[in-house]
Amino acid sequence: MLNLLRRYSVLFTTGSLLALSVSLLVTNTRGTRRVDPLGVVFLEIITPISHLLSTVSSAMSGTWQTYVDLVGVRQEREWLRRRVRELEGQVERAAAIESQNSRLQALLDLREKMPGQSVAARITGVDASGLFRTATLNKGERDGVEKGMAVVAHAGVVGKVVSTSPNAARVLLLEDPSSGVDALVQRSRARGIVEGSLNGGCQLKYVKHREDLRVGDLVATSGLDGIFPKGVLVGTIVRLSREEGGLFQTAEIEPAVDFNKLEEVMVVEAPENEVPPEASQAKPADDGRHGN
Amino acid sequence: MRPLLIFAVAGVLAVVVQTTLVQRLGFLPAAPDLIVILCVYLGLHYHSAGGAIGAFLLGYLLDTFSGAVPGLYCLTMTLVFGMVYLLSKRLWMENPMSNIAAVALGSAVKILTVVLYFAIASTRAVSWWVVLRTLTVEALLALVCAPAVFAALGHYLPRTSRSHAAE
């Protein structure tokens, strides 16, 4: 028996790990809790390295851009060339600081409007695969970030915290197919659920057929899902679709937040609100299989 | 111990590159799947239980830093390791072209597994064109990066540590 095990150890090990993987997958697909025993450890190890590389590559791309800008400069004296480089570097650093200040000021203004506790954080990494839309933050449990907290930017909704470690957190972005935000149209007060799409962008779904939707309408959070504060901008309706004879209509939404340029965000505590009786009849915000 | 450390560092670097550096560079349409390359390397050169465990952990690392359900990439990378291992037991795979072919096989296994998962378990409407396009671009970029990754691993891992352990 031992000889057999030794002889086929690789196959036995591979088979066992496949069975473990399948059981993990089934548990997380069907269950409501995220079973992820090693995720915290990996988050804690990788996030500081990611943050460092993010900072270094930002500095390097600024230096590279300075070099590219100077390629077309001809027949200048060496000391003037160095001086121009120094001055352009200073200008770019000042511009970057000014841009960061503007973003942080907007975040500070947003913080004052948000009820409850809030934590400012920075995005240090994005999803490792191209199929999903998540991000890693540089703040975690030690800073007051908890699973299920909403993440917003000055422009609007960003997403929801799905896992945390002491010093980092993972955010499921609004554009992820598994996300779901209870929202309403500001003009007509029509309610629906905003879900992400693999094509990018979002859709407002499960809006009753008789509700009045128009292209250009602003969509904001309803505050009824107990996750996002009320009134945070989600996006703008850009296209409508209505099934003939169907119960619901769907609208494509352009998110208010530009996820490709997102750097600073605010993690906010869920608002304390009572869900009115009529809201319990509407479809609840479904965040798919990414945990509570 | 040294191969373990080198693969741990390689796995960490791969995830950091995929989540941070590629986004900063901005000119690549997607991130190359470096984890698949590492698992293929394990399947080709580490015919031991440790190689299987390494592939499983690399998949788990990818699960942690992607929006996938925990377990999806564990299953995928273990399958990649298993397929490449079985193939390398039967075919001679020591030249660069066969290594590239192994990476292509690994990427194909990954695409098939992810597509099957979306087909069976996804509760939302899936745009198959987007899924296949994204996975294919990642696979093609992995094929481009594979020779460099294999060369780097071959440089840092001494020949004596490549165990084609008797079963």
Side-chain angles (χ1 to χ4, degrees), chain A residues 55-232:
Chain A
T55 307
V56 167
S57 61
S58 292
M60 284 174 65
S61 67
T63 306
W64 172 253
Q65 190 57 46
T66 303
Y67 173 78
V68 169
D69 287 344
L70 291 175
V71 164
V73 174
R74 286 182 287 173
Q75 295 182 351
E76 277 188 324
R77 293 171 72 177
E78 190 60 35
W79 72 273
L80 275 173
R81 223 177 274 156
R82 276 199 302 270
R83 184 64 182 151
V84 166
R85 278 199 204 107
E86 283 170 18
L87 288 172
E88 286 195 353
Q90 286 175 15
V91 166
E92 285 183 15
R93 281 192 294 274
I97 290 170
E98 187 181 346
S99 170
Q100 188 181 44
N101 278 343
S102 300
R103 293 197 305 272
L104 290 173
Q105 183 60 50
L107 215 56
L108 196 60
D109 293 340
L110 175 68
R111 187 177 200 166
E112 288 170 0
K113 292 178 193 168
M114 288 291 139
Q117 182 196 359
S118 58
V119 177
R122 187 179 161 83
I123 290 179
T124 58
V126 296
D127 201 285
S129 75
L131 291 179
F132 307 97
R133 298 283 283 160
T134 64
T136 308
L137 303 183
N138 67 340
K139 296 285 174 71
E141 290 160 3
R142 284 192 186 144
D143 306 289
V145 176
E146 295 172 2
K147 213 186 291 189
M149 287 177 86
V151 182
V152 298
H154 68 276
V157 169
V158 172
K160 190 182 78 162
V161 176
V162 291
S163 67
T164 57
S165 69
N167 295 298
R170 299 276 300 156
V171 177
L172 182 71
L173 299 178
L174 182 69
E175 288 187 324
D176 188 277
S178 298
S179 72
V181 177
D182 197 300
L184 51 76
V185 180
Q186 286 188 333
R187 181 183 56 86
S188 63
R189 319 307 286 174
R191 269 191 71 198
I193 304 293
V194 174
E195 293 179 352
S197 158
L198 273 177
N199 293 326
C202 310
Q203 288 186 324
L204 178 65
K205 291 183 173 179
Y206 312 113
V207 180
K208 290 178 186 170
H209 207 264
R210 55 181 165 78
E211 296 286 1
D212 178 21
L213 298 183
R214 290 182 202 163
V215 171
D217 278 346
L218 294 178
V219 179
T221 55
S222 65
L224 294 173
D225 54 13
I227 299 170
F228 291 92
K230 183 178 178 178
V232 182

Side-chain angles (χ1 to χ4, degrees), chain A residues 7 36 50 127 130 177 289-290, chain B residues 20 60 67 69 124 130 138 167:
Chain A
R7 188 179 168 84
D36 188 11
S50 200
D127 201 285
R289 57 191 75 83
H290 285 270
Chain B
T20 307
Y60 202 117
V69 177
R124 303 284 174 91
V130 173
E138 286 179 358
E167 299 237 321

